[in-house]
Structure formats: structure tokens, C-alpha cells
Amino acid sequence: VLPVWRKPPASSHTANQRRRMVAAKYRGRVITQADFAPRVEKCPDSDAEDDEGQDEDAGADQELTEDVIDKDVMRGVLQQDGMALKAMPSCIREDQSMVLTAVRQNPDAIAFAPDMYQRDQDIALEAVRQRGMVLEVLPEALKADGPFVFEACKQDGLALQFASKELRTDADLVLEAMRQNWRAIDFVEEDLFRDVDFMQEAVKIHWRALSYAHHGIGELRDIVQMAMRQNWLALASAHEKFLKDRALVEEAVGLSWEALLYAHPKLRNDRALVEDALRQNGLALQCASEALRGDRELVMRAVNKNGMALEYASQALQNDREVVMAAIRGRNSLQFASEDLRGDRSFILEAVRVDGMVAEFAAAPLRADREVMMEAVRSDWRAVEFAAAEINQDSGLLA
């Protein structure tokens, strides 16, 4: 004989949430949902466990009618947690003021409101003005409503992705969305990318919009220049013909020497442009043509500005004692010198007197040369770590 089994108290998250938040007044006393829960005796081998949650959820809404619910308590719950609307009895979810209270606390709560309130302009506007992306769960009619979607996009430009196709071709709406988040342009219908007026305004908002322009519009110099003045990187998205436009490239280089990296090879051989770039940073030598990388005067300017520029000098100049010595101010620059110089004892002795740490890049035999390493350590005691193993423990190195 199977023992008599009593249905345990509801333990699901939904049931517990209801029990905590549903309070009602009946005949002068405060009661909770537990007072209404049926007490049914069932055997555990029945299908009771499968049906338990369904019976409990279905019964709650039927049992808790408006005349036994304390609406002030319910409102207080929603004022603290709007998402609690999901577990509220139907008579609460169908109350407009309750839904509005929940949405004001958390705009996502509108997802649990009845359809009639999701279509309600006042409630829906309250939601999207707090969180534009709520537009995703709203009815199609609202997604096609221009003024309504405009409000959503003002709060979050990316809400544009949930607007109707027709509205995504509305230039004014799209631009408003882009002002909030320029990435809204990702959701624009392609027809707008052929619209000169639209693209001009889009580029004013953010220079990266240039990369979305139809190739015909991308060839308009004014638009390219407008984008480039915001950020020189716009030159990388420009039509090839602008990479040959000396005036435009010169203006871009004035903003950043790196713009010269994208210039046409002919302009990278323009000594004046390269000099302009080198005034900003010696590393601009990497933008120069092969011929200019072999120009001793330019390379000396570059390594004096930044020793690491030696990496981009011609092989002949990487073997030039004077050029390399000028570059040694930057510790790691010796690594770009020729093997001949890194193995030249007299040169390395001179170099470590300037900066002992360059011993790291001296040829192996010289790192085992006691005199060379003594000079390096005198210049910078940390150079001892680059000494060859056979002399590394020599107490005389740190004497």
C-alpha cells in the first residue's frame, strides 16, 4: 500500500515570487496566495509532478480576483521591480495604471504587458524613451510609425534595426539615429548610400560613414575631405584617385604622419612630404620610398628623432657608423645595425660607453669580451645580464 502523499508547497521560482508579492485583503485580514492553493493528496507515481506547475499557474490567476487583491501592495511591488509584472495575476497585468508603473520602473516590463498595452502609445513611449531597444518587442504598427520610432532612436540609435524597411530609408530618421550612435548606419537601406545629401550629413556625423558610400559618391572630393578632417584614417577608405592628390595627402600628413602610408608611391617619393612627416616622428621613414630611405640626410633626421627609425634605413646606412651611433640613443636600435657593425669591437666599445644596454645586440664573441662588458656595465650596471655565461659570474664586472 502506497503511503498517502501530500502535495508539497510550491517550490518553483514563479510560485515563490507570487507568494512573496501577492497579498490580498479578505474579511478584514491579509491573506496570501498560499491561502488559495488547493491541498490535494496524490500518489507520487501519478503524473502530478508534470502537471503541478501548470495547475498552480493556471489556478492563481483564476483564484485571485480584483476584489481580493490589495492594489496598493501590488503597486509597491512594481515600483521596486517592474519585471515582477511577468508573474502578476491577469487582473493586475490588465490594469493600465499597473502596467505603466511597471514600465516606468523597468521599460523591459512592457514585454509582459497584454497586447492592448503594447499598442498603447503612452505606455510604449514611456518604454522607448527609457530604452530604445524595447522597440524590438513592440507591434509592427509601432515599428512603422515614424514619430514613434524617432523617439526610440533618440534614446538608442541602434533601435533603428527594428524599424520598418520603409523607415530605414528615411534620411532624417537615420541621421537622428546616427547622432545617437553612428553605427546605426549598419541598418540603413542601401538606396541611401547613393544619396549625396544624405552621405554628406552622415559623414559630418562620423567620418567612418565614408566607407559606406556608393563608389560614385566616394569619388566626391568634398565628402572625402570632410571625413579626412575628422580623422586622417578616412584617407584609407578613399577612392584610389585621392591617394594621388598631393594637396589632399599633404593635408592628411599634417594631421598625422601615418597618412603617408596610404599615399600613392609617387607621393611617398616626394621629399617635401616625407620631411613634413619626419618632423612629427622619425618612424615616418617607413613611409618613404626606397630611394629616400637611402638618403643619408633624411635618415640622419629620422634616427635623431627616433633611433628605432634605423630599421627602415637602407642596408648601406645601417652599416654607416655615424648613422648607427646617432640611433643608439634608443636602446633597441642597435639590433637594426648591420652584422658587420655589431661585430666591430671598436664600434661596440664606443657604443656601450653611450648606452651600456646596447650590449644586448652586440655579436656573441663581444659579449664574452671582458673589456667590452666592463665598459657596458660601467655605463649601466644592468648590462651584466647580457654578458656571456663564462664571464657573467666574474665579480670584477660589478666591482
Side-chain angles (χ1 to χ4, degrees), residues 22-37:
V22 177
K25 288 184 178 179
Y26 183 68
R27 293 182 181 175
R29 72 185 183 90
V30 176
I31 57 179
T32 67
Q33 184 177 335
D35 291 285
F36 296 97

Side-chain angles (χ1 to χ4, degrees), residues 112-142:
F112 309 116
D115 289 346
M116 61 180 174
Y117 295 137
Q118 289 185 357
R119 293 192 298 269
D120 185 297
Q121 283 262 2
D122 292 335
I123 294 177
L125 272 175
E126 186 72 35
V128 298
R129 282 173 175 165
Q130 294 182 67
R131 186 169 183 270
M133 296 294 276
V134 167
L135 184 63
E136 180 180 10
V137 302
L138 297 180
E140 293 302 316
L142 290 180

Side-chain angles (χ1 to χ4, degrees), residues 229-299:
R229 285 174 175 171
Q230 290 183 48
N231 193 309
W232 67 268
L233 276 170
L235 192 65
S237 304
H239 188 274
E240 184 180 356
K241 72 178 185 180
F242 295 118
L243 305 183
K244 303 176 184 177
D245 185 324
R246 192 186 188 286
L248 199 65
V249 171
E250 184 177 19
E251 185 176 353
V253 169
L255 297 171
S256 172
W257 64 267
E258 293 169 285
L260 194 55
L261 285 168
Y262 298 95
H264 187 272
K266 182 179 178 180
L267 294 181
R268 295 172 69 174
N269 194 43
D270 185 313
R271 185 184 179 89
L273 279 178
V274 173
E275 287 178 340
D276 285 347
L278 288 176
R279 289 189 189 99
Q280 296 177 42
N281 195 317
L283 292 177
L285 186 63
Q286 65 189 284
C287 309
S289 65
E290 288 296 325
L292 292 181
R293 292 185 192 192
D295 184 309
R296 194 172 189 279
E297 182 185 349
L298 279 182
V299 172

Side-chain angles (χ1 to χ4, degrees), residues 368-386:
D369 185 309
R370 193 173 187 280
E371 182 184 356
V372 170
M373 293 310 300
M374 284 283 286
E375 289 294 335
V377 171
R378 285 193 188 102
S379 177
D380 190 323
W381 67 268
R382 295 172 299 171
V384 70
E385 67 177 296
F386 306 124

